[in-house]
């Protein structure tokens, strides 16, 4: 029996994407090791193949195809190779899609290319704050930015698994931004000190000062009218200039 299995994030339907995220949330709940990944792989494989596993027999797993109702035996030795075909579903650093809506609210561009830089800074603050304190309110704040949800709007759709989806999306974007703007983001990530809420505030202020060249009258304009990629490209260029000066003239 032949199965058509998605080979990457871009091939998932919205319903399949939601299922994968829910399985990651369900199986990674204990937060220990990588054992949870096998549970995710097995669950998404069954989902993608549209089958039910009924019982283990001497010959293998007795399965039933949901659409036709046909039953068949799946050799247990084939499972590892089949699960390998969906291994990308637990490689969330390379996520390339996001859930496009939360209730009535539409997500911003996946790579945040049109997001005002000030909103990106807020999102980064929420993301890092979650890593520090593991507080749900930080992920809610992140979701409100990425889905343009007003602060006073009640959104029951922001369930635990949806907050995880938002976290994984922003984390994947950070991986791509690191590849696109390696000098600045590498520099900002190599300070050698633990990230604190105060250091986050100081970092954001420093980035704005660099972009405005210290002109406080331009701060609000930069926050509201310069998009994230334009701002990061300028910061990356400034980091490159600083590297070249350092190489030419030394630390002093």
């Amino acid at each position: 029996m032949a199965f058509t299995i998605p080979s990457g994030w871009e091939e998932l339907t919205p319903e399949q994407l939601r299922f994968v995220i829910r399985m990651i949330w369900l199986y990674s709940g204990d937060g220990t090791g990588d054992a949870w990944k096998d549970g995710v792989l097995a669950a998404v494989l069954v989902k993608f193949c549209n089958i039910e596993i009924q019982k283990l027999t001497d010959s293998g797993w007795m399965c039933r195809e949901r659409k036709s109702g046909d039953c068949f035996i799946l050799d247990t030795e084939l499972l590892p190779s089949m699960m390998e075909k969906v291994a990308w579903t637990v490689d969330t650093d390379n996520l390339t899609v996001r859930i496009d809506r939360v209730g009535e609210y539409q997500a911003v561009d996946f790579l945040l290319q049109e997001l005002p830089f000030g909103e990106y800074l807020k999102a980064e603050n929420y993301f890092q704050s979650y890593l520090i304190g593991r507080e749900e309110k930080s992920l809610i704040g992140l979701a409100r930015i990425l889905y343009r949800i007003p602060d006073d709007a009640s959104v029951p759709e922001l369930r635990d698994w949806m907050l995880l989806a938002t976290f994984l999306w922003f984390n994947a974007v950070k991986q791509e931004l690191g590849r696109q703007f390696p000098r600045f983001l590498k520099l900002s990530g190599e300070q050698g000190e633990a990230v604190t809420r105060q250091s986050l505030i100081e970092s954001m202020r420093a980035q704005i000062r660099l972009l405005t060249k210290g002109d406080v009258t331009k701060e609000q304009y930069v926050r509201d009218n310069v998009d994230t990629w334009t701002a990061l490209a300028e910061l990356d260029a400034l980091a490159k200039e600083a590297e070249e000066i350092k190489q030419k003239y030394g630390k002093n």
Side-chain angles (χ1 to χ4, degrees):
M1 183 171 289
F3 299 103
T4 301
I5 301 175
S7 60
W9 293 106
E10 298 90 345
E11 295 183 16
L12 295 181
T13 66
E15 189 268 339
Q16 287 174 327
L17 176 59
R18 284 175 167 80
F19 180 83
V20 172
I21 297 297
R22 286 199 298 270
M23 292 303 99
I24 293 174
W25 171 77
L26 177 65
Y27 284 98
S28 64
D30 61 6
T32 57
D34 290 334
W36 61 271
K37 293 183 179 181
D38 286 341
V40 174
L41 297 180
V44 299
L45 180 64
V46 168
K47 176 70 172 179
F48 292 165
C49 293
N50 199 28
I51 61 176
E52 293 177 355
I53 296 181
Q54 298 183 325
K55 62 180 180 179
L56 181 61
T57 71
D58 292 338
S59 302
W61 290 98
M62 173 68 75
C63 302
R64 184 179 72 86
E65 188 178 22
R66 287 194 177 97
K67 187 174 182 180
S68 67
D70 294 341
C71 292
F72 62 96
I73 297 294
L74 178 61
D75 191 331
T76 55
E77 294 184 358
L78 293 178
L79 277 177
S81 62
M82 293 182 68
M83 290 171 65
E84 183 64 27
K85 293 182 181 299
V86 294
W88 53 268
T89 60
V90 291
D91 181 18
T92 54
D93 279 355
N94 289 310
L95 187 74
T96 57
V97 292
R98 82 286 192 252
I99 294 172
D100 61 353
R101 300 188 72 85
V102 174
E104 64 183 281
Y105 300 100
Q106 179 72 39
V108 301
D109 171 71
F110 177 80
L111 289 174
L112 316 183
Q113 290 179 311
E114 298 179 1
L115 188 70
F117 188 56
E119 293 298 289
Y120 167 78
L121 290 177
K122 292 178 185 177
E124 173 70 6
N125 183 57
Y126 281 125
F127 180 85
Q128 295 293 344
S129 293
Y130 176 74
L131 294 179
I132 294 170
R134 298 290 172 174
E135 295 176 332
E136 183 181 87
K137 65 180 182 180
S138 296
L139 291 185
I140 292 174
L142 179 62
R144 286 186 180 278
I145 290 174
L146 298 185
Y147 287 92
R148 301 188 186 278
I149 303 172
D151 290 339
D152 59 352
S154 176
V155 186
E157 292 86 357
L158 282 179
R159 304 180 181 92
D160 289 346
W161 67 268
M162 186 62 222
L163 293 176
L164 173 63
T166 305
F167 174 86
L168 295 178
W169 168 16
F170 194 76
N171 179 67
V173 171
K174 284 174 63 68
Q175 310 306 311
E176 180 59 26
L177 293 178
R179 290 186 283 269
Q180 294 291 332
F181 311 109
R183 294 179 180 85
F184 172 70
L185 293 178
K186 179 183 178 182
L187 180 66
S188 63
E190 290 184 346
Q191 301 304 314
E193 300 177 357
V195 176
T196 65
R197 288 183 172 86
Q198 183 59 36
S199 69
L200 288 173
I201 294 172
E202 293 173 358
S203 175
M204 288 188 287
R205 289 173 176 169
Q207 291 177 53
I208 293 296
R209 283 198 301 272
L210 282 170
L211 291 171
T212 61
K213 295 180 172 55
D215 187 344
V216 295
T217 65
K218 296 179 180 179
E219 288 188 5
Q220 201 60 48
Y221 178 86
V222 168
R223 291 178 184 273
D224 296 342
N225 298 285
V226 177
D227 69 83
T228 294
W229 279 54
T230 298
L232 291 178
E234 177 62 19
L235 290 169
D236 202 59
L238 291 172
K240 179 182 179 182
E241 291 176 6
E243 282 183 2
E244 292 172 346
I245 292 172
K246 184 178 179 179
Q247 291 173 359
K248 185 173 181 179
Y249 298 105
K251 293 184 179 180
N252 298 322

